[in-house]
PDB file of all heavy atoms in Angstrom:
ATOM      1  N   ALA A   1     -39.181  63.493 149.597  1.00 88.00           N
ATOM      2  CA  ALA A   1     -39.102  62.045 149.475  1.00 88.00           C
ATOM      3  C   ALA A   1     -39.852  61.401 150.615  1.00 88.00           C
ATOM      4  O   ALA A   1     -39.927  62.000 151.781  1.00 88.00           O
ATOM      5  CB  ALA A   1     -37.701  61.498 149.421  1.00 88.00           C
ATOM      6  N   LEU A   2     -40.456  60.243 150.426  1.00 87.00           N
ATOM      7  CA  LEU A   2     -41.292  59.572 151.420  1.00 87.00           C
ATOM      8  C   LEU A   2     -40.776  58.100 151.583  1.00 87.00           C
ATOM      9  O   LEU A   2     -40.615  57.365 150.557  1.00 87.00           O
ATOM     10  CB  LEU A   2     -42.754  59.558 150.941  1.00 87.00           C
ATOM     11  CG  LEU A   2     -43.749  58.833 151.943  1.00 87.00           C
ATOM     12  CD1 LEU A   2     -43.795  59.542 153.197  1.00 87.00           C
ATOM     13  CD2 LEU A   2     -45.080  58.708 151.285  1.00 87.00           C
ATOM     14  N   LEU A   3     -40.500  57.786 152.757  1.00 90.00           N
ATOM     15  CA  LEU A   3     -40.070  56.411 153.051  1.00 90.00           C
ATOM     16  C   LEU A   3     -40.683  55.949 154.329  1.00 90.00           C
ATOM     17  O   LEU A   3     -40.677  56.623 155.374  1.00 90.00           O
ATOM     18  CB  LEU A   3     -38.490  56.365 153.199  1.00 90.00           C
ATOM     19  CG  LEU A   3     -37.970  54.972 153.638  1.00 90.00           C
ATOM     20  CD1 LEU A   3     -38.198  53.927 152.579  1.00 90.00           C
ATOM     21  CD2 LEU A   3     -36.442  55.112 153.890  1.00 90.00           C
ATOM     22  N   GLY A   4     -41.328  54.729 154.295  1.00 92.00           N
ATOM     23  CA  GLY A   4     -42.123  54.258 155.450  1.00 92.00           C
ATOM     24  C   GLY A   4     -41.906  52.751 155.657  1.00 92.00           C
ATOM     25  O   GLY A   4     -41.786  52.019 154.677  1.00 92.00           O
ATOM     26  N   VAL A   5     -41.992  52.356 156.835  1.00 92.00           N
ATOM     27  CA  VAL A   5     -41.800  50.920 157.206  1.00 92.00           C
ATOM     28  C   VAL A   5     -42.890  50.673 158.271  1.00 92.00           C
ATOM     29  O   VAL A   5     -42.966  51.386 159.273  1.00 92.00           O
ATOM     30  CB  VAL A   5     -40.430  50.587 157.713  1.00 92.00           C
ATOM     31  CG1 VAL A   5     -40.382  49.075 158.164  1.00 92.00           C
ATOM     32  CG2 VAL A   5     -39.361  50.868 156.605  1.00 92.00           C
ATOM     33  N   ALA A   6     -43.676  49.541 158.122  1.00 92.00           N
ATOM     34  CA  ALA A   6     -44.683  49.189 159.083  1.00 92.00           C
ATOM     35  C   ALA A   6     -44.461  47.738 159.386  1.00 92.00           C
ATOM     36  O   ALA A   6     -44.354  46.838 158.470  1.00 92.00           O
ATOM     37  CB  ALA A   6     -46.063  49.472 158.513  1.00 92.00           C
ATOM     38  N   LEU A   7     -44.490  47.347 160.686  1.00 91.00           N
ATOM     39  CA  LEU A   7     -44.258  46.048 161.145  1.00 91.00           C
ATOM     40  C   LEU A   7     -45.133  45.821 162.323  1.00 91.00           C
ATOM     41  O   LEU A   7     -44.843  46.357 163.451  1.00 91.00           O
ATOM     42  CB  LEU A   7     -42.817  45.705 161.484  1.00 91.00           C
ATOM     43  CG  LEU A   7     -42.486  44.306 161.915  1.00 91.00           C
ATOM     44  CD1 LEU A   7     -42.751  43.332 160.790  1.00 91.00           C
ATOM     45  CD2 LEU A   7     -41.058  44.195 162.383  1.00 91.00           C
ATOM     46  N   PRO A   8     -46.166  45.036 162.289  1.00 91.00           N
ATOM     47  CA  PRO A   8     -47.047  44.689 163.448  1.00 91.00           C
ATOM     48  C   PRO A   8     -46.208  43.942 164.533  1.00 91.00           C
ATOM     49  O   PRO A   8     -45.273  43.219 164.273  1.00 91.00           O
ATOM     50  CB  PRO A   8     -48.130  43.770 162.906  1.00 91.00           C
ATOM     51  CG  PRO A   8     -48.128  43.999 161.450  1.00 91.00           C
ATOM     52  CD  PRO A   8     -46.711  44.342 161.046  1.00 91.00           C
ATOM     53  N   VAL A   9     -46.545  44.172 165.781  1.00 91.00           N
ATOM     54  CA  VAL A   9     -45.830  43.617 166.901  1.00 91.00           C
ATOM     55  C   VAL A   9     -46.787  42.538 167.434  1.00 91.00           C
ATOM     56  O   VAL A   9     -47.796  42.690 167.901  1.00 91.00           O
ATOM     57  CB  VAL A   9     -45.595  44.651 167.974  1.00 91.00           C
ATOM     58  CG1 VAL A   9     -44.881  43.990 169.170  1.00 91.00           C
ATOM     59  CG2 VAL A   9     -44.845  45.818 167.473  1.00 91.00           C
ATOM     60  N   PRO A  10     -46.330  41.186 167.310  1.00 90.00           N
ATOM     61  CA  PRO A  10     -47.091  40.018 167.672  1.00 90.00           C
ATOM     62  C   PRO A  10     -47.035  39.880 169.237  1.00 90.00           C
ATOM     63  O   PRO A  10     -46.294  38.954 169.714  1.00 90.00           O
ATOM     64  CB  PRO A  10     -46.508  38.883 166.949  1.00 90.00           C
ATOM     65  CG  PRO A  10     -45.068  39.267 166.759  1.00 90.00           C
ATOM     66  CD  PRO A  10     -45.066  40.789 166.613  1.00 90.00           C
ATOM     67  N   ILE A  11     -47.884  40.561 169.942  1.00 90.00           N
ATOM     68  CA  ILE A  11     -47.933  40.467 171.466  1.00 90.00           C
ATOM     69  C   ILE A  11     -49.000  39.521 171.840  1.00 90.00           C
ATOM     70  O   ILE A  11     -48.804  38.611 172.618  1.00 90.00           O
ATOM     71  CB  ILE A  11     -48.019  41.824 172.065  1.00 90.00           C
ATOM     72  CG1 ILE A  11     -46.770  42.722 171.693  1.00 90.00           C
ATOM     73  CG2 ILE A  11     -48.205  41.725 173.584  1.00 90.00           C
ATOM     74  CD1 ILE A  11     -46.860  44.095 172.307  1.00 90.00           C
ATOM     75  N   PHE A  12     -50.217  39.800 171.332  1.00 91.00           N
ATOM     76  CA  PHE A  12     -51.405  39.048 171.741  1.00 91.00           C
ATOM     77  C   PHE A  12     -51.695  37.895 170.750  1.00 91.00           C
ATOM     78  O   PHE A  12     -51.884  36.790 171.210  1.00 91.00           O
ATOM     79  CB  PHE A  12     -52.584  39.954 171.860  1.00 91.00           C
ATOM     80  CG  PHE A  12     -52.324  41.166 172.750  1.00 91.00           C
ATOM     81  CD1 PHE A  12     -52.181  42.398 172.226  1.00 91.00           C
ATOM     82  CD2 PHE A  12     -52.324  41.005 174.166  1.00 91.00           C
ATOM     83  CE1 PHE A  12     -51.963  43.546 173.091  1.00 91.00           C
ATOM     84  CE2 PHE A  12     -52.140  42.095 174.981  1.00 91.00           C
ATOM     85  CZ  PHE A  12     -51.944  43.296 174.428  1.00 91.00           C
ATOM     86  N   ASP A  13     -51.753  38.172 169.505  1.00 91.00           N
ATOM     87  CA  ASP A  13     -52.118  37.203 168.578  1.00 91.00           C
ATOM     88  C   ASP A  13     -50.835  36.734 167.855  1.00 91.00           C
ATOM     89  O   ASP A  13     -50.249  37.428 166.965  1.00 91.00           O
ATOM     90  CB  ASP A  13     -53.071  37.883 167.434  1.00 91.00           C
ATOM     91  CG  ASP A  13     -53.522  36.844 166.381  1.00 91.00           C
ATOM     92  OD1 ASP A  13     -53.246  35.611 166.637  1.00 91.00           O
ATOM     93  OD2 ASP A  13     -54.239  37.216 165.480  1.00 91.00           O
ATOM     94  N   ARG A  14     -50.514  35.461 168.180  1.00 92.00           N
ATOM     95  CA  ARG A  14     -49.374  34.834 167.564  1.00 92.00           C
ATOM     96  C   ARG A  14     -49.850  33.565 166.789  1.00 92.00           C
ATOM     97  O   ARG A  14     -49.032  32.656 166.584  1.00 92.00           O
ATOM     98  CB  ARG A  14     -48.338  34.444 168.554  1.00 92.00           C
ATOM     99  CG  ARG A  14     -47.742  35.644 169.352  1.00 92.00           C
ATOM    100  CD  ARG A  14     -46.658  35.239 170.282  1.00 92.00           C
ATOM    101  NE  ARG A  14     -47.146  34.275 171.308  1.00 92.00           N
ATOM    102  CZ  ARG A  14     -47.700  34.649 172.420  1.00 92.00           C
ATOM    103  NH1 ARG A  14     -47.984  35.922 172.663  1.00 92.00           N
ATOM    104  NH2 ARG A  14     -48.160  33.634 173.262  1.00 92.00           N
ATOM    105  N   ASN A  15     -51.095  33.608 166.413  1.00 92.00           N
ATOM    106  CA  ASN A  15     -51.680  32.491 165.632  1.00 92.00           C
ATOM    107  C   ASN A  15     -51.675  31.126 166.377  1.00 92.00           C
ATOM    108  O   ASN A  15     -51.723  30.063 165.784  1.00 92.00           O
ATOM    109  CB  ASN A  15     -50.993  32.273 164.279  1.00 92.00           C
ATOM    110  CG  ASN A  15     -51.886  31.681 163.208  1.00 92.00           C
ATOM    111  OD1 ASN A  15     -53.098  31.962 163.203  1.00 92.00           O
ATOM    112  ND2 ASN A  15     -51.321  30.881 162.387  1.00 92.00           N
ATOM    113  N   GLN A  16     -51.582  31.189 167.670  1.00 93.00           N
ATOM    114  CA  GLN A  16     -51.427  30.035 168.517  1.00 93.00           C
ATOM    115  C   GLN A  16     -52.690  29.078 168.470  1.00 93.00           C
ATOM    116  O   GLN A  16     -52.596  27.837 168.430  1.00 93.00           O
ATOM    117  CB  GLN A  16     -51.149  30.375 169.928  1.00 93.00           C
ATOM    118  CG  GLN A  16     -52.180  31.233 170.618  1.00 93.00           C
ATOM    119  CD  GLN A  16     -51.777  32.748 170.603  1.00 93.00           C
ATOM    120  OE1 GLN A  16     -51.234  33.085 169.522  1.00 93.00           O
ATOM    121  NE2 GLN A  16     -51.967  33.469 171.609  1.00 93.00           N
ATOM    122  N   GLY A  17     -53.877  29.716 168.271  1.00 95.00           N
ATOM    123  CA  GLY A  17     -55.095  28.841 168.106  1.00 95.00           C
ATOM    124  C   GLY A  17     -55.154  28.024 166.884  1.00 95.00           C
ATOM    125  O   GLY A  17     -55.419  26.818 166.861  1.00 95.00           O
ATOM    126  N   ASN A  18     -54.796  28.682 165.745  1.00 94.00           N
ATOM    127  CA  ASN A  18     -54.811  28.004 164.492  1.00 94.00           C
ATOM    128  C   ASN A  18     -53.665  26.852 164.412  1.00 94.00           C
ATOM    129  O   ASN A  18     -53.874  25.790 163.845  1.00 94.00           O
ATOM    130  CB  ASN A  18     -54.610  28.941 163.310  1.00 94.00           C
ATOM    131  CG  ASN A  18     -55.827  29.827 163.132  1.00 94.00           C
ATOM    132  OD1 ASN A  18     -56.855  29.457 163.453  1.00 94.00           O
ATOM    133  ND2 ASN A  18     -55.557  31.002 162.668  1.00 94.00           N
ATOM    134  N   ILE A  19     -52.571  27.137 165.063  1.00 95.00           N
ATOM    135  CA  ILE A  19     -51.467  26.175 165.103  1.00 95.00           C
ATOM    136  C   ILE A  19     -51.905  24.904 165.879  1.00 95.00           C
ATOM    137  O   ILE A  19     -51.730  23.749 165.470  1.00 95.00           O
ATOM    138  CB  ILE A  19     -50.137  26.813 165.751  1.00 95.00           C
ATOM    139  CG1 ILE A  19     -49.656  27.861 164.775  1.00 95.00           C
ATOM    140  CG2 ILE A  19     -49.164  25.750 165.953  1.00 95.00           C
ATOM    141  CD1 ILE A  19     -48.461  28.629 165.425  1.00 95.00           C
ATOM    142  N   LEU A  20     -52.524  25.116 167.008  1.00 96.00           N
ATOM    143  CA  LEU A  20     -52.971  23.980 167.897  1.00 96.00           C
ATOM    144  C   LEU A  20     -54.084  23.259 167.139  1.00 96.00           C
ATOM    145  O   LEU A  20     -54.088  21.999 167.108  1.00 96.00           O
ATOM    146  CB  LEU A  20     -53.535  24.514 169.206  1.00 96.00           C
ATOM    147  CG  LEU A  20     -54.039  23.494 170.178  1.00 96.00           C
ATOM    148  CD1 LEU A  20     -52.827  22.626 170.596  1.00 96.00           C
ATOM    149  CD2 LEU A  20     -54.619  24.155 171.407  1.00 96.00           C
ATOM    150  N   ALA A  21     -54.999  23.864 166.439  1.00 96.00           N
ATOM    151  CA  ALA A  21     -56.033  23.201 165.698  1.00 96.00           C
ATOM    152  C   ALA A  21     -55.449  22.330 164.554  1.00 96.00           C
ATOM    153  O   ALA A  21     -55.828  21.216 164.351  1.00 96.00           O
ATOM    154  CB  ALA A  21     -57.074  24.192 165.147  1.00 96.00           C
ATOM    155  N   ALA A  22     -54.387  22.897 163.848  1.00 94.00           N
ATOM    156  CA  ALA A  22     -53.723  22.171 162.766  1.00 94.00           C
ATOM    157  C   ALA A  22     -53.046  20.963 163.339  1.00 94.00           C
ATOM    158  O   ALA A  22     -53.037  19.924 162.707  1.00 94.00           O
ATOM    159  CB  ALA A  22     -52.810  23.077 162.079  1.00 94.00           C
ATOM    160  N   GLN A  23     -52.435  21.085 164.504  1.00 95.00           N
ATOM    161  CA  GLN A  23     -51.700  19.900 165.115  1.00 95.00           C
ATOM    162  C   GLN A  23     -52.750  18.833 165.467  1.00 95.00           C
ATOM    163  O   GLN A  23     -52.466  17.595 165.280  1.00 95.00           O
ATOM    164  CB  GLN A  23     -50.997  20.373 166.335  1.00 95.00           C
ATOM    165  CG  GLN A  23     -49.710  21.204 165.999  1.00 95.00           C
ATOM    166  CD  GLN A  23     -49.032  21.772 167.225  1.00 95.00           C
ATOM    167  OE1 GLN A  23     -49.644  21.783 168.298  1.00 95.00           O
ATOM    168  NE2 GLN A  23     -47.841  22.261 167.102  1.00 95.00           N
ATOM    169  N   ARG A  24     -53.936  19.230 166.074  1.00 96.00           N
ATOM    170  CA  ARG A  24     -54.928  18.176 166.324  1.00 96.00           C
ATOM    171  C   ARG A  24     -55.443  17.495 165.078  1.00 96.00           C
ATOM    172  O   ARG A  24     -55.775  16.251 165.117  1.00 96.00           O
ATOM    173  CB  ARG A  24     -56.036  18.879 167.127  1.00 96.00           C
ATOM    174  CG  ARG A  24     -55.684  19.371 168.474  1.00 96.00           C
ATOM    175  CD  ARG A  24     -55.193  18.227 169.344  1.00 96.00           C
ATOM    176  NE  ARG A  24     -54.674  18.771 170.604  1.00 96.00           N
ATOM    177  CZ  ARG A  24     -53.346  19.005 170.902  1.00 96.00           C
ATOM    178  NH1 ARG A  24     -52.410  18.738 169.955  1.00 96.00           N
ATOM    179  NH2 ARG A  24     -53.006  19.398 172.062  1.00 96.00           N
ATOM    180  N   ARG A  25     -55.552  18.198 163.990  1.00 95.00           N
ATOM    181  CA  ARG A  25     -55.960  17.582 162.702  1.00 95.00           C
ATOM    182  C   ARG A  25     -54.966  16.674 162.172  1.00 95.00           C
ATOM    183  O   ARG A  25     -55.326  15.683 161.433  1.00 95.00           O
ATOM    184  CB  ARG A  25     -56.355  18.630 161.793  1.00 95.00           C
ATOM    185  CG  ARG A  25     -57.629  19.410 162.056  1.00 95.00           C
ATOM    186  CD  ARG A  25     -58.150  20.265 160.986  1.00 95.00           C
ATOM    187  NE  ARG A  25     -59.442  20.890 161.309  1.00 95.00           N
ATOM    188  CZ  ARG A  25     -59.589  22.087 161.788  1.00 95.00           C
ATOM    189  NH1 ARG A  25     -58.561  22.819 161.967  1.00 95.00           N
ATOM    190  NH2 ARG A  25     -60.796  22.538 162.069  1.00 95.00           N
ATOM    191  N   VAL A  26     -53.658  16.846 162.553  1.00 95.00           N
ATOM    192  CA  VAL A  26     -52.636  15.895 162.020  1.00 95.00           C
ATOM    193  C   VAL A  26     -52.910  14.573 162.855  1.00 95.00           C
ATOM    194  O   VAL A  26     -52.782  13.492 162.254  1.00 95.00           O
ATOM    195  CB  VAL A  26     -51.199  16.416 162.329  1.00 95.00           C
ATOM    196  CG1 VAL A  26     -50.182  15.345 162.308  1.00 95.00           C
ATOM    197  CG2 VAL A  26     -50.953  17.622 161.406  1.00 95.00           C
ATOM    198  N   ASP A  27     -53.131  14.658 164.127  1.00 95.00           N
ATOM    199  CA  ASP A  27     -53.377  13.522 164.892  1.00 95.00           C
ATOM    200  C   ASP A  27     -54.691  12.777 164.384  1.00 95.00           C
ATOM    201  O   ASP A  27     -54.706  11.503 164.335  1.00 95.00           O
ATOM    202  CB  ASP A  27     -53.660  13.899 166.383  1.00 95.00           C
ATOM    203  CG  ASP A  27     -52.357  14.485 167.010  1.00 95.00           C
ATOM    204  OD1 ASP A  27     -51.265  14.172 166.490  1.00 95.00           O
ATOM    205  OD2 ASP A  27     -52.502  15.202 167.946  1.00 95.00           O
ATOM    206  N   GLN A  28     -55.677  13.525 163.999  1.00 95.00           N
ATOM    207  CA  GLN A  28     -56.839  12.960 163.480  1.00 95.00           C
ATOM    208  C   GLN A  28     -56.575  12.240 162.122  1.00 95.00           C
ATOM    209  O   GLN A  28     -57.054  11.099 161.857  1.00 95.00           O
ATOM    210  CB  GLN A  28     -57.955  14.124 163.176  1.00 95.00           C
ATOM    211  CG  GLN A  28     -59.193  13.581 162.653  1.00 95.00           C
ATOM    212  CD  GLN A  28     -60.057  14.697 162.202  1.00 95.00           C
ATOM    213  OE1 GLN A  28     -59.660  15.791 161.902  1.00 95.00           O
ATOM    214  NE2 GLN A  28     -61.374  14.468 162.162  1.00 95.00           N
ATOM    215  N   ALA A  29     -55.728  12.878 161.264  1.00 94.00           N
ATOM    216  CA  ALA A  29     -55.347  12.194 160.052  1.00 94.00           C
ATOM    217  C   ALA A  29     -54.617  10.957 160.212  1.00 94.00           C
ATOM    218  O   ALA A  29     -54.812   9.950 159.491  1.00 94.00           O
ATOM    219  CB  ALA A  29     -54.569  13.115 159.123  1.00 94.00           C
ATOM    220  N   ARG A  30     -53.676  10.889 161.292  1.00 95.00           N
ATOM    221  CA  ARG A  30     -52.981   9.642 161.500  1.00 95.00           C
ATOM    222  C   ARG A  30     -53.909   8.530 162.061  1.00 95.00           C
ATOM    223  O   ARG A  30     -53.789   7.385 161.702  1.00 95.00           O
ATOM    224  CB  ARG A  30     -51.947   9.916 162.653  1.00 95.00           C
ATOM    225  CG  ARG A  30     -50.823  10.754 162.123  1.00 95.00           C
ATOM    226  CD  ARG A  30     -49.564  10.642 163.009  1.00 95.00           C
ATOM    227  NE  ARG A  30     -48.439  11.376 162.613  1.00 95.00           N
ATOM    228  CZ  ARG A  30     -48.083  12.627 162.968  1.00 95.00           C
ATOM    229  NH1 ARG A  30     -48.779  13.195 164.034  1.00 95.00           N
ATOM    230  NH2 ARG A  30     -47.052  13.242 162.509  1.00 95.00           N
ATOM    231  N   ASP A  31     -54.880   8.882 162.847  1.00 95.00           N
ATOM    232  CA  ASP A  31     -55.911   7.910 163.304  1.00 95.00           C
ATOM    233  C   ASP A  31     -56.731   7.355 162.110  1.00 95.00           C
ATOM    234  O   ASP A  31     -56.951   6.129 162.015  1.00 95.00           O
ATOM    235  CB  ASP A  31     -56.742   8.449 164.270  1.00 95.00           C
ATOM    236  CG  ASP A  31     -56.057   8.799 165.628  1.00 95.00           C
ATOM    237  OD1 ASP A  31     -54.953   8.227 165.825  1.00 95.00           O
ATOM    238  OD2 ASP A  31     -56.600   9.638 166.436  1.00 95.00           O
ATOM    239  N   ALA A  32     -57.026   8.278 161.205  1.00 93.00           N
ATOM    240  CA  ALA A  32     -57.888   7.859 160.033  1.00 93.00           C
ATOM    241  C   ALA A  32     -57.054   6.947 159.094  1.00 93.00           C
ATOM    242  O   ALA A  32     -57.576   6.013 158.545  1.00 93.00           O
ATOM    243  CB  ALA A  32     -58.367   9.093 159.290  1.00 93.00           C
ATOM    244  N   ALA A  33     -55.736   7.187 159.012  1.00 92.00           N
ATOM    245  CA  ALA A  33     -54.872   6.386 158.153  1.00 92.00           C
ATOM    246  C   ALA A  33     -54.837   4.953 158.728  1.00 92.00           C
ATOM    247  O   ALA A  33     -54.809   3.966 158.006  1.00 92.00           O
ATOM    248  CB  ALA A  33     -53.545   6.998 158.031  1.00 92.00           C
ATOM    249  N   ARG A  34     -54.572   4.868 160.049  1.00 93.00           N
ATOM    250  CA  ARG A  34     -54.581   3.553 160.704  1.00 93.00           C
ATOM    251  C   ARG A  34     -55.882   2.829 160.513  1.00 93.00           C
ATOM    252  O   ARG A  34     -55.946   1.666 160.218  1.00 93.00           O
ATOM    253  CB  ARG A  34     -54.199   3.713 162.136  1.00 93.00           C
ATOM    254  CG  ARG A  34     -52.764   4.038 162.373  1.00 93.00           C
ATOM    255  CD  ARG A  34     -52.319   3.809 163.870  1.00 93.00           C
ATOM    256  NE  ARG A  34     -53.126   4.780 164.789  1.00 93.00           N
ATOM    257  CZ  ARG A  34     -52.613   5.927 165.097  1.00 93.00           C
ATOM    258  NH1 ARG A  34     -51.501   6.306 164.676  1.00 93.00           N
ATOM    259  NH2 ARG A  34     -53.291   6.697 165.970  1.00 93.00           N
ATOM    260  N   ALA A  35     -56.980   3.531 160.719  1.00 93.00           N
ATOM    261  CA  ALA A  35     -58.299   2.908 160.506  1.00 93.00           C
ATOM    262  C   ALA A  35     -58.500   2.410 159.004  1.00 93.00           C
ATOM    263  O   ALA A  35     -59.071   1.340 158.900  1.00 93.00           O
ATOM    264  CB  ALA A  35     -59.436   3.827 160.931  1.00 93.00           C
ATOM    265  N   ALA A  36     -58.012   3.241 158.117  1.00 89.00           N
ATOM    266  CA  ALA A  36     -58.158   2.827 156.645  1.00 89.00           C
ATOM    267  C   ALA A  36     -57.291   1.583 156.425  1.00 89.00           C
ATOM    268  O   ALA A  36     -57.740   0.750 155.654  1.00 89.00           O
ATOM    269  CB  ALA A  36     -57.708   3.999 155.790  1.00 89.00           C
ATOM    270  N   GLU A  37     -56.129   1.490 156.938  1.00 89.00           N
ATOM    271  CA  GLU A  37     -55.292   0.387 156.792  1.00 89.00           C
ATOM    272  C   GLU A  37     -55.923  -0.922 157.351  1.00 89.00           C
ATOM    273  O   GLU A  37     -56.012  -2.030 156.651  1.00 89.00           O
ATOM    274  CB  GLU A  37     -53.875   0.507 157.355  1.00 89.00           C
ATOM    275  CG  GLU A  37     -52.966  -0.611 157.101  1.00 89.00           C
ATOM    276  CD  GLU A  37     -51.566  -0.353 157.583  1.00 89.00           C
ATOM    277  OE1 GLU A  37     -51.394   0.737 158.244  1.00 89.00           O
ATOM    278  OE2 GLU A  37     -50.596  -1.084 157.374  1.00 89.00           O
ATOM    279  N   ILE A  38     -56.572  -0.869 158.536  1.00 90.00           N
ATOM    280  CA  ILE A  38     -57.198  -2.008 159.113  1.00 90.00           C
ATOM    281  C   ILE A  38     -58.410  -2.388 158.243  1.00 90.00           C
ATOM    282  O   ILE A  38     -58.620  -3.570 158.076  1.00 90.00           O
ATOM    283  CB  ILE A  38     -57.600  -1.633 160.579  1.00 90.00           C
ATOM    284  CG1 ILE A  38     -56.322  -1.496 161.444  1.00 90.00           C
ATOM    285  CG2 ILE A  38     -58.480  -2.765 161.150  1.00 90.00           C
ATOM    286  CD1 ILE A  38     -56.582  -0.971 162.843  1.00 90.00           C
ATOM    287  N   ARG A  39     -59.179  -1.401 157.864  1.00 90.00           N
ATOM    288  CA  ARG A  39     -60.384  -1.681 157.079  1.00 90.00           C
ATOM    289  C   ARG A  39     -60.027  -2.276 155.672  1.00 90.00           C
ATOM    290  O   ARG A  39     -60.707  -3.263 155.327  1.00 90.00           O
ATOM    291  CB  ARG A  39     -61.127  -0.374 156.905  1.00 90.00           C
ATOM    292  CG  ARG A  39     -62.386  -0.522 156.152  1.00 90.00           C
ATOM    293  CD  ARG A  39     -63.218   0.791 156.184  1.00 90.00           C
ATOM    294  NE  ARG A  39     -62.546   1.893 155.568  1.00 90.00           N
ATOM    295  CZ  ARG A  39     -62.008   2.917 156.263  1.00 90.00           C
ATOM    296  NH1 ARG A  39     -62.019   2.955 157.602  1.00 90.00           N
ATOM    297  NH2 ARG A  39     -61.327   3.875 155.667  1.00 90.00           N
ATOM    298  N   LEU A  40     -58.971  -1.855 155.051  1.00 87.00           N
ATOM    299  CA  LEU A  40     -58.650  -2.375 153.757  1.00 87.00           C
ATOM    300  C   LEU A  40     -58.046  -3.802 153.889  1.00 87.00           C
ATOM    301  O   LEU A  40     -58.358  -4.670 153.040  1.00 87.00           O
ATOM    302  CB  LEU A  40     -57.632  -1.435 153.064  1.00 87.00           C
ATOM    303  CG  LEU A  40     -58.149  -0.163 152.547  1.00 87.00           C
ATOM    304  CD1 LEU A  40     -56.968   0.618 151.938  1.00 87.00           C
ATOM    305  CD2 LEU A  40     -59.195  -0.430 151.527  1.00 87.00           C
TER     306      LEU A  40
END
């Protein structure tokens, strides 16, 4: 019988760059929403 388990260890890459970029895009979307409200 064969049984295996594989689990990567998140030591170096914890997706921190993509998380930070997504948070900055949230701020960008909020600014765009305020600008759209003023423009309308």
Side-chain angles (χ1 to χ4, degrees):
L2 178 66
L3 176 63
V5 177
L7 182 66
V9 181
I11 297 178
F12 305 105
D13 183 6
R14 297 184 302 277
N15 205 37
Q16 56 266 39
N18 291 332
I19 294 175
L20 183 60
Q23 291 173 344
R24 294 298 174 266
R25 289 194 175 95
V26 170
D27 298 335
Q28 179 189 24
R30 289 198 179 99
D31 294 339
R34 287 194 294 268
E37 185 174 3
I38 295 173
R39 185 171 57 253
L40 287 176

